[in-house]
Amino acid sequence: MTSRTTLRRRLHHGDVDGKKHEHVDAGRADSLNEPLLGDDRYGRSFSEKYGDSSHEDFWDDERRKEHLHWAHIFSQLVAQWAQWFASLVLGSGSLVARLLHYPFGSQNGNDSESIPLYLSPLQEERLRNLQQRLEIPFDGSCLDHQDALRQLWRLAYPSRELPSLKSELWKEMGWQGTDPSTDFRGGGFISLENLIFFAKKYPESFQRLLHKEEGKRAEWEYPFAVAGINISFMLTQMLDLQTGRPSTVAGVQFVKLLAEDEMAFDHLYCIAFQMMDAQWLAKRASYMEFNEVLKSTRMQLERELALEDVHRIEDLPAYTLLRS
């Protein structure tokens, strides 16, 4: 398994996702029905998006259905046998029996690890609090949400005058129009909280990305604020946070990190934003290639979360990219 040291070397040599990057041909970039706010492709499983599609050529529809049918029956038999054995030997009320009784395969149907049914009270509480945050939509008529937007402006431009909530000046931060409230959509209020957390916790990194201070930039750059909303949405999907309990490998590992740090999601957001910009520069990408860069960012995060020696957010190799 890849070590954190190896991944850190790749990050600092521009080999961000494990391969030397060449410029991505704009013709191969995903089309965008709305700039940077694509469909819910990030909600699909890791294997669906990144698996080798050539394998499908080996199976016609009937053989695939038959294969899946028997695989399902076999997995059910194994699960029933494990449950029966645990109940017979240890008693259905024991902790070991409960740990043995877990679903085989994830709820999303991919080949990822399943989370045990048992979570510590602290994990349960923090996961529940995070999921409650995810359920809050951005409401442009809510005074608290309006104040949060103003706070973001003050953090981003401390020496500039605060504009009205509908102003051309918001475009300078990377909103698509004069009214930032129209850009949130699937991101929700948490995506604004993430931006504010980034600006407060890692102000140096935030300012560098906001003003595109590092590297050779594209003529058509990604808009900062809207990119941040996309990152919040991508993380929610990657970590499987919209289900009762995460079942993907990344989601399972994230719950462990959540036990160590209540703000693990917000820290991971900052890492993902910094990593996305590093990917952007390594690929020499431009606006229409944003979705490709975001996919690469997700893949790199999943690899880092799967490392054996990651027990805290600070253990992630990409954490070293952040500056406070």
Side-chain angles (χ1 to χ4, degrees):
M1 184 168 288
T2 308
S3 68
R4 278 189 289 142
T5 303
T6 302
L7 282 172
R8 284 196 176 111
R9 290 198 192 103
R10 291 173 178 172
L11 286 166
H12 289 294
H13 286 84
D15 186 13
V16 187
D17 60 1
K19 298 177 289 187
K20 293 295 181 183
H21 294 295
E22 297 181 357
H23 181 59
V24 180
D25 182 1
R28 292 190 287 111
D30 292 343
S31 61
L32 299 173
N33 295 326
E34 297 180 70
L36 297 184
L37 292 174
D39 50 34
D40 64 347
R41 285 168 300 164
Y42 300 109
R44 299 187 316 210
S45 70
F46 178 87
S47 59
E48 279 183 286
K49 297 201 303 296
Y50 305 119
D52 184 358
S53 60
S54 63
H55 288 297
E56 295 193 6
D57 296 334
F58 291 95
W59 300 94
D60 57 24
D61 289 339
E62 293 301 320
R63 291 181 65 193
R64 188 185 300 110
K65 290 178 182 177
E66 182 180 357
H67 174 77
L68 292 174
H69 172 71
W70 286 109
H72 175 73
I73 291 177
F74 179 73
S75 67
Q76 290 296 314
L77 287 173
V78 172
Q80 290 173 11
W81 178 85
Q83 182 180 0
W84 170 81
F85 180 79
S87 299
L88 179 66
V89 177
L90 301 167
S92 60
S94 71
L95 173 62
V96 177
R98 289 199 300 272
L99 292 177
L100 284 173
H101 182 212
Y102 61 86
F104 284 74
S106 73
Q107 296 173 355
N108 296 330
N110 56 15
D111 296 328
S112 52
E113 180 182 338
S114 295
I115 194 168
L117 292 179
Y118 175 78
L119 294 176
S120 71
L122 180 63
Q123 287 173 315
E124 290 273 13
E125 179 185 1
R126 290 181 173 179
L127 181 59
R128 183 170 57 252
N129 291 342
L130 176 57
Q131 289 172 331
Q132 288 174 353
R133 289 175 63 194
L134 292 169
E135 292 174 358
I136 302 174
F138 182 84
D139 183 356
S141 65
C142 175
L143 294 180
D144 287 341
H145 293 194
Q146 292 176 10
D147 288 342
L149 268 177
R150 295 186 183 100
Q151 182 184 12
L152 177 63
W153 178 275
R154 293 189 184 99
L155 290 167
Y157 307 110
S159 61
R160 295 178 59 180
E161 184 179 351
L162 178 69
S164 65
L165 292 176
K166 292 184 179 181
S167 168
E168 290 286 335
L169 293 176
W170 287 101
K171 293 182 181 179
E172 296 181 23
M173 193 187 293
W175 302 98
Q176 295 182 103
T178 60
D179 182 3
S181 66
T182 62
D183 282 336
F184 286 96
R185 289 189 273 276
F189 183 60
I190 194 171
S191 58
L192 178 54
E193 290 181 317
N194 291 153
L195 283 166
I196 292 172
F197 181 88
F198 192 12
K200 294 172 70 174
K201 187 67 177 180
Y202 306 101
E204 183 179 338
S205 288
F206 179 89
Q207 291 293 333
R208 287 205 316 260
L209 297 187
L210 172 63
H211 297 290
K212 310 291 173 60
E213 293 177 355
E214 291 187 335
K216 184 178 180 181
R217 314 304 304 201
E219 184 176 347
W220 196 7
E221 277 287 315
Y222 65 84
F224 175 81
V226 178
I229 293 175
N230 277 259
I231 290 171
S232 296
F233 181 73
M234 178 271 287
L235 285 178
T236 301
Q237 300 298 311
M238 182 188 81
L239 301 175
D240 198 23
L241 293 175
Q242 293 179 323
T243 61
R245 291 180 179 180
S247 60
T248 63
V249 172
V252 169
Q253 180 64 13
F254 172 75
V255 172
K256 297 175 184 177
L257 300 180
L258 199 60
E260 299 296 324
D261 186 350
E262 186 175 9
M263 304 305 292
F265 183 84
D266 301 79
H267 285 288
L268 192 61
Y269 168 87
C270 301
I271 293 171
F273 211 139
Q274 185 70 68
M275 184 186 289
M276 184 279 294
D277 190 72
Q279 292 268 5
W280 181 270
L281 292 174
K283 292 176 179 289
R284 292 181 292 169
S286 62
Y287 182 87
M288 294 305 292
E289 295 158 316
F290 179 81
N291 281 342
E292 288 295 326
V293 174
L294 199 58
K295 283 186 195 178
S296 297
T297 303
R298 171 172 174 159
M299 293 173 68
Q300 178 66 17
L301 275 174
E302 287 174 316
R303 279 197 292 267
E304 293 199 8
L305 284 168
L307 294 174
E308 292 179 343
D309 51 352
V310 170
H311 307 290
R312 305 173 305 149
I313 284 290
E314 293 83 357
D315 294 333
L316 291 167
Y319 180 79
T320 60
L321 296 173
L322 290 172
R323 297 289 182 271
S324 57

